[in-house]
Amino acid sequence: MKAITVQPGHAGSASLDDVPEPALGEGSVLVEAIAVGVCGTDVEIVDGKYGWSPPGSDRLVLGHESLGKVVDPGGATGLKPGDLIVGIVRRPDPVPCPNCAVGEWDMCRNGQYTERGIKELHGFMSERWRIEPEYAMKVDRSLGLLGVLLEPTTVVAKAWEQVTAVGQRAFWEPRHVLVTGAGPIGLLAALLGKQRGLDVHVLDRVTTGAKPELVRQLGATYHACRANELGFQPDIIIECTGVGPVISDAVKSVAAGGIVCLTGVGTGGRTTGMVADAAASLVLRNNVIVGSVNANKRHWYKASESLLRADMAWLAQLVTRRERPEDFRRALARQADDIKVVVQFANP
Ligand code: BGC
């Protein structure tokens, strides 16, 4: 079968290869790929800056934002042929650390966790893949291709849960939310903010195109300025750019008692000294900066609920480009108006 593979650590090594059928050891559920979303992490892996191949192999099958159709449930209860499923990305470390032991693999403490398509486990960019029944998330049929948005939604579901958990440390009635970055993570974070009944603002660089329009359609406010030029201080900032100067502005602009949640760590700027510069004000204003990565089963469940409550016509606009597996290079190259690009293997 065909798969998009990469040699981690080697820029430009991605190729569409013939690979063996997925090994039974990868899980009893056999799945036909429908689509796989492309995100910044994939681009970093393809650029040789991130990613690890499985032990004993020098190549890694790419892709962690999956959507597939069950071919053979392999004895899994609750799954039947034709069901749409998405594969959970992370697996607990083998020790396991206390957090992995209680199913919080997203909070793994020893870094020995593994991740499909990212760290030591093959991903989902292959015509067929296998998964363990307990890591297969069934997706409502009504979502169709939009089920491919489930994985990025889990990341923001966890981020929101972190913000709420931190907020409970004191009396807290947050009203104004700022999301920095109107990419898929930012727009989904804004969606979840609206679903919580909050006043949502989204900041990005562009002034035209789909992003400002999608923010308006959500009933949120779009800004193309810096966080310190908004004219108000957000109670919550969900930072979705990973860009040093944007993070720095966010930390300096959050309201007293406010929380900044970092969801991305890109390579787009210097972050050195950022927290040190703001340290005095962080203390005097009781601010918290919380990092958030990955998601556990509870977040996968919450993310499915959020997607089902969303306006499908709005969600559909997030998928701005679909490319065939043979055109994977085009899928990995950013174009100006891209939001979520998917590699499409088959129809849902
Ligand atoms: C994925 C997460 C993963 C993280 C770090 C993100 O792109 O969505 O599942 O934990 O990268 O590898």
Side-chain angles (χ1 to χ4, degrees), residues 201-288:
H201 297 256
V202 180
L203 170 163
D204 199 298
R205 284 183 299 196
V206 298
T207 50
T208 55
K211 290 177 177 179
E213 181 51 29
L214 280 163
V215 171
R216 270 190 289 274
Q217 285 178 23
L218 255 191
T221 311
Y222 187 83
H223 304 266
C225 64
R226 292 174 56 177
N228 52 0
E229 295 166 350
L230 288 171
F232 69 93
Q233 295 185 325
D235 304 304
I236 299 168
I237 301 184
I238 313 269
E239 206 301 304
C240 305
T241 69
V243 174
V246 180
I247 299 175
S248 189
D249 282 353
V251 169
K252 290 175 189 156
S253 308
V254 72
I259 300 164
V260 179
C261 180
L262 307 180
T263 66
V265 278
T267 44
R270 222 166 53 89
T271 48
T272 329
M274 178 191 80
V275 174
D277 288 351
S281 120
L282 287 172
V283 173
L284 290 171
R285 292 153 62 86
N286 289 298
N287 289 134
V288 177

Side-chain angles (χ1 to χ4, degrees), residues 39 41 50 64 89-90 115 118 151 155 293-294:
C39 87
T41 302
Y50 194 62
H64 61 277
V89 177
R90 194 176 278 199
E115 289 180 341
I118 301 175
E151 197 277 343
V155 168
V293 70
N294 197 256

Side-chain angles (χ1 to χ4, degrees), residues 39-42 45 50-52 64-65 88-90 105-106 113-119 151-152 154-155 185 263 265 292-295 300:
C39 87
T41 302
D42 299 307
I45 297 173
Y50 194 62
W52 300 261
H64 61 277
E65 299 185 2
I88 292 181
V89 177
R90 194 176 278 199
W105 50 72
D106 58 313
Y113 63 82
T114 51
E115 289 180 341
R116 299 283 306 249
I118 301 175
K119 188 169 182 276
E151 197 277 343
T154 67
V155 168
I185 294 289
T263 66
V265 278
S292 180
V293 70
N294 197 256
W300 280 81

